[in-house]
Amino acid sequence: MAERSFVEEVKKLRLGAGEVFRGEGILAVTKALLESGVNYIAGYQGAPISHLMDVLADAQDILAEHGIRFENSASEATAAATLAASVNYPLRGAVTFKATVGTNVASDALANLASGGVTGGALVIVGEDYGEGSSIMQERSHAFAMKSQIWLLDPRPNLPGIVQAVKDGFDLSEASRTPVMLQLRIRACHVHGEFTASDNRRAAFSIQQAMEQPQRDVSRIVLPPASFVHEQEKVKERWPAAVRFIQERGLNEFFAEQADDVGIAVQGGSYNTVVRALQQLGLADVYGNTRVPLYVMNVAYPLVDAELLRFCEGKRALLVVEEGQPNFVEQNVATILRQAGSTTALHGKDLLPMAGEYTTAAVLQGLRGFLQAHGKLAAQPAPVRERRTIPLLPEPARPIEASIAARPPGFCTGCPERPIFTAMKLVERELGEHHVSADIGCHLFSILPPFNLGNTTMGYGLGGAGAAALNVPTGKRAISVMGDGGFWHNGLTSGIANAVFNKSDNLTIVVDNSYTSATGGQDILSSKAQNPTRSTNHAIENAVRGVGVQWVKTVRRTYDLKTMVGTLREALTTGEKGPKVLVAQSECMLNRQRREKPLQRAAAARGERVVRERFGIDPDTCTGDHSCIRLSGCPSLSIKPNPDPLRTDPVATVLDSCVGCGLCGEVSHAAVLCPSFYRAQIVSNPTRWDRLRARLRRGVIGWLQARDARRRLRYAF
């Protein structure tokens, strides 16, 4: 169950020539693929490109009408290898995944593809989420494009530009026999706008034809001596062909080219930010009309020497706006200008931040410095500060920011992964600390408070491999964690099978919440849902036993804290040798709530009886120990003032966002016996019996409370 359904939006994909398409960037990409006559699409979900996979999944009937094969790939490497279909046949293929981690996983397949080259258009759509929007290491796909000489498109983030970039990407790939990478930054993925649609078209050459007419070209296979020729081909044939196509098609853009004797060269993805900064300096308007010449590189690699030199002709200075580091574009521009003997002064990272996201504020500061240095903008006087002999307010002892506690990211309310790490903390009290090899996914939040677990993380599905070096005979076992998504991605082989082969004695915990939850709730092999187009319900335990693990335990309800603690303790203390695998199962609460809440609301609207469970805390009984918070960290748990005037410690309280998972009560009892928790049922459309029972309860409780009040009043005197 994906986090968002696009069933209604995909209807727009049927729009024909001349009709106006309005929607999100991701939908525009899908429409462009349909208009490009693509034969097959594959990919692996990951922000900010996850929604593209969800849109394609919801549009499978439209894809089928046009003979398009679509696959949810097992990994990014699987997706990239799918492009092999375009090596010998005029088949257009597209794959998509999150960059740069996805590009790293797919690197071997992409390198081989780029070496031999392609016949049909091969387009790699990568979701680039560098900067504050990123959840991964701060790197860029640009380095890989340069390394393997895959052409890199970075279009201006507007819908017409994105749609045209998809079409140009296929044409460029076929013209130069080279795969093309289309980089869609996070804002491009989610930008809204409109463009004039064209008709969807079926590919002229079909996959069926390829199957019936097999083609083979040994010179395209990466095997000596052909592989030695490929490098020469790239430089002598493919690169010049790509440059010619870029120039003839006008993929890069010039704005106000002769307006001034200074200019800015910017990658297409940063165009909006630059124009916004120029607007704040009074040098551009909201429509992009600028008084400063702009060279917009919608093709970030390769650069076109002739275009760059033409733009710099007659200009005293050029500023290169290139987000991230190393400064690949700036270095390339410097080489081009130097070899041509150009006298244009080059600026880039000397005025703009060396690293980090280029927000409007960061670019504004760099542009101001560039324009002031070359006399295009008056220097602003330093602000005059008033002298105050008598402070109006007492000076703070420390900056305000220092007194605000950081709010780390954490698990959702009711997340079934939280009790796993609660159990680990409780077992830690008995057995001491263990080395914990973490993994990519929601469970990575366990490295932060309140759990503070996790020593390293090496990549998706590599939790088990990350603990491989710590397989030595000691009194403790290393613990590794991976999710079900990471398990099927590559954890089964790189983690579990590797542990079997090398006779590991460590423990691997596989968090099985039925979906690739961190990427949007897509189905996987072990999902419990019945998927009409995919095969599901394949147990992780069976797969683990299939590669040779003997000690395997499955906890089918992670909220059962007693069982979780007991099984974890057994795994860490058993005398049985060999790798241990603990499969911890419970459905992702976020997906469960997305499914159940609409059904509950609809049932309540129909007048049906609906029961919702939640927990509460008796403030008169709460001792203020707060173990429920310290060992749970649930966002629905908070504190409030103590109702007892003689006690200063705040008491715990449960917010209305509670979903009734019960972990907080389990934790409080496991940590220290706590009678303050109670479970309540909220009933919509109660029956007569519900009302009668509620009246009886109120009557009995009211009588007991009144009696207790009289007793206390008597003792008070």
Side-chain angles (χ1 to χ4, degrees):
M1 177 183 177
E3 68 178 24
R4 178 180 169 189
S5 171
F6 290 87
V7 172
E8 289 301 316
E9 287 94 331
V10 297
K11 295 176 181 177
K12 300 176 185 177
L13 299 176
R14 298 186 184 278
L15 293 177
E19 297 183 272
V20 177
F21 185 105
R22 296 181 178 87
E24 196 175 6
I26 290 295
L27 283 161
V29 171
T30 313
K31 177 62 172 149
L33 290 170
L34 286 165
E35 293 179 3
S36 299
V38 70
N39 292 91
Y40 63 94
I41 309 170
Y44 192 85
Q45 59 276 350
I49 210 76
S50 291
H51 287 171
L52 179 54
M53 295 297 293
D54 297 336
V55 168
L56 291 166
D58 287 337
Q60 286 190 71
D61 56 337
I62 302 175
L63 300 179
E65 290 172 12
H66 293 82
I68 300 170
R69 166 69 180 171
F70 168 63
E71 275 202 0
N72 289 90
S73 305
S75 70
E76 296 87 352
T78 308
T82 306
L83 291 171
S86 295
V87 170
N88 293 309
Y89 306 97
L91 297 172
R92 285 190 165 186
V95 299
T96 179
F97 40 73
K98 173 190 182 79
T100 55
V101 288
T103 310
N104 292 339
V105 173
S107 59
D108 201 22
L110 289 177
N112 278 278
L113 185 75
S115 181
V118 295
T119 300
L123 188 66
V124 183
I125 305 170
V126 295
E128 196 84 359
D129 56 352
Y130 178 86
E132 289 296 322
S134 176
S135 61
I136 58 170
M137 77 291 287
Q138 297 295 280
E139 293 184 357
R140 295 180 294 155
S141 302
H142 199 122
F144 190 91
M146 293 173 63
K147 186 269 291 182
S148 290
Q149 290 180 277
I150 295 175
W151 317 138
L152 176 64
L153 305 184
D154 185 10
R156 287 197 292 140
N158 61 66
L159 261 57
I162 292 170
V163 169
Q164 191 58 46
V166 172
K167 298 178 179 180
D168 289 337
F170 282 117
D171 291 342
L172 173 59
S173 177
E174 291 167 349
S176 61
R177 298 178 58 87
T178 303
V180 170
M181 190 177 291
L182 173 61
Q183 174 178 284
L184 290 179
R185 307 190 188 201
I186 189 168
R187 290 177 179 83
C189 290
H190 301 300
V191 69
H192 282 71
E194 63 180 41
F195 66 93
T196 303
S198 299
D199 289 330
N200 298 334
R201 62 187 182 93
R202 180 182 283 264
F205 188 84
S206 69
I207 296 176
Q208 287 80 3
Q209 287 175 282
M211 295 283 287
E212 293 166 359
Q213 306 166 30
Q215 300 295 320
R216 181 170 174 270
D217 184 353
V218 177
S219 67
R220 296 301 101 208
I221 299 175
V222 186
L223 184 71
S227 55
F228 305 141
V229 179
H230 294 166
E231 184 184 27
Q232 299 296 322
E233 268 186 18
K234 286 182 179 180
V235 176
K236 296 179 180 178
E237 298 176 21
R238 300 186 210 166
W239 191 317
V243 170
R244 283 195 303 273
F245 182 90
I246 294 166
Q247 290 179 290
E248 292 169 2
R249 186 68 66 93
L251 301 190
N252 296 320
E253 299 172 282
F254 298 84
F255 295 94
E257 185 177 359
Q258 305 299 329
D260 211 328
D261 62 353
V262 298
I264 300 170
V266 56
Q267 290 175 276
S270 297
Y271 168 83
N272 286 3
T273 305
V274 169
V275 169
R276 174 62 175 157
L278 288 172
Q279 182 190 350
Q280 294 192 24
L281 292 172
L283 297 172
D285 61 22
V286 294
Y287 302 103
N289 299 311
T290 174
R291 290 159 49 189
V292 179
L294 298 179
Y295 175 44
V296 181
M297 297 173 287
N298 293 314
V299 182
Y301 181 79
L303 295 188
V304 180
D305 297 28
E307 288 186 353
L308 187 68
L309 292 171
R310 165 192 144 188
F311 182 73
C312 290
E313 187 175 351
K315 290 185 173 57
R316 292 186 294 117
L318 175 72
L319 176 68
V320 174
V321 180
E322 175 188 9
E323 187 176 59
Q325 59 84 33
N327 55 342
F328 300 122
V329 175
E330 185 181 345
Q331 292 179 41
N332 200 342
V333 171
T335 301
I336 294 170
L337 295 179
R338 176 68 176 172
Q339 290 179 344
S342 173
T343 58
T344 303
L346 178 62
H347 297 278
K349 298 294 184 182
D350 57 333
L351 297 173
L352 289 158
M354 282 293 295
E357 185 176 7
Y358 276 12
T359 61
T360 301
V363 173
L364 178 62
Q365 184 176 354
L367 289 183
R368 181 181 284 119
F370 171 69
L371 295 170
Q372 287 175 351
H374 294 279
K376 301 301 177 181
L377 200 65
Q380 294 182 334
V384 178
R385 300 186 64 180
E386 293 184 10
R387 291 185 60 192
R388 292 186 302 166
T389 55
I390 302 176
L392 300 177
L393 293 172
E395 294 293 331
R398 56 178 177 167
I400 295 176
E401 292 80 2
S403 63
I404 300 175
R407 182 185 180 187
F411 299 102
C412 300
T413 297
C415 177
E417 299 186 14
R418 188 179 284 109
I420 299 170
F421 302 106
T422 296
M424 290 175 67
K425 294 299 288 185
L426 292 172
V427 171
E428 184 182 273
R429 292 181 175 184
E430 302 176 33
L431 305 178
E433 293 186 3
H434 288 69
H435 178 92
V436 178
S437 177
D439 206 331
I440 303 301
C442 297
H443 41 273
L444 192 57
F445 294 143
S446 63
I447 68 171
L448 301 170
F451 302 112
N452 301 302
L453 294 165
N455 300 71
T456 57
T457 179
M458 290 289 106
Y460 196 34
L462 295 176
L470 302 173
N471 178 32
V472 292
T474 65
K476 291 184 178 180
R477 293 182 170 117
I479 302 172
S480 57
V481 182
M482 70 175 74
D484 45 1
F487 173 86
W488 293 114
H489 183 270
N490 69 9
L492 176 60
T493 52
S494 65
I496 307 299
N498 181 71
V500 172
F501 183 69
N502 289 289
K503 296 185 177 181
S504 171
D505 196 38
N506 292 332
L507 167 65
T508 299
I509 301 173
V510 181
V511 182
D512 180 7
N513 50 27
S514 297
Y515 312 94
T516 51
S517 300
T519 61
Q522 293 82 9
D523 283 336
I524 50 178
L525 277 162
S526 52
S527 293
K528 300 296 187 295
Q530 294 296 328
N531 191 314
T533 60
R534 300 290 182 265
S535 178
T536 55
N537 281 283
H538 300 280
I540 290 176
E541 181 173 336
N542 293 344
V544 167
R545 292 189 185 279
V547 296
V549 178
Q550 301 298 317
W551 196 102
V552 187
K553 303 284 184 182
T554 298
V555 176
R556 306 201 181 279
R557 184 175 178 275
T558 61
Y559 300 108
D560 184 352
L561 195 59
K562 182 178 179 181
T563 301
M564 275 301 311
V565 169
T567 309
L568 188 58
R569 183 191 298 114
E570 181 186 351
L572 294 172
T573 59
T574 179
E576 185 175 338
K577 298 299 181 182
K580 286 86 181 160
V581 175
L582 169 56
V583 183
Q585 291 182 336
S586 272
E587 183 184 5
C588 169
M589 182 58 72
L590 196 59
N591 268 332
R592 180 178 174 183
Q593 293 299 315
R594 287 192 184 113
R595 182 181 68 249
E596 292 185 353
K597 279 187 176 180
L599 298 177
Q600 290 176 348
R601 285 195 295 267
R606 293 193 299 267
E608 298 176 13
R609 181 178 182 270
V610 177
V611 180
R612 179 168 74 92
E613 285 191 346
R614 59 162 291 180
F615 277 70
I617 298 172
D618 181 0
D620 294 324
T621 311
C622 179
T623 63
D625 172 74
H626 301 154
S627 60
C628 53
I629 296 175
R630 286 184 284 107
L631 287 170
S632 165
C634 180
S636 293
L637 278 173
S638 186
I639 56 174
K640 67 179 182 181
N642 200 311
D644 189 339
L646 299 179
R647 295 162 59 194
T648 58
D649 290 337
V651 296
T653 186
V654 179
L655 305 180
D656 193 51
S657 55
C658 172
V659 296
C661 72
L663 176 62
C664 50
E666 292 267 359
V667 165
S668 62
H669 285 282
V672 56
L673 189 60
C674 179
S676 62
F677 275 86
Y678 63 84
R679 184 173 62 183
Q681 289 185 333
I682 301 172
V683 182
S684 300
N685 303 316
T687 63
R688 290 182 180 178
W689 169 242
D690 289 326
R691 293 190 181 94
L692 176 60
R693 186 167 52 180
R695 282 198 298 270
L696 289 172
R697 284 175 174 168
R698 282 196 299 267
V700 172
I701 293 172
W703 179 80
L704 291 172
Q705 287 177 330
R707 188 186 68 172
D708 187 55
R710 288 194 298 271
R711 181 177 58 82
R712 282 186 291 178
L713 183 63
R714 188 166 59 250
Y715 282 120
F717 291 102

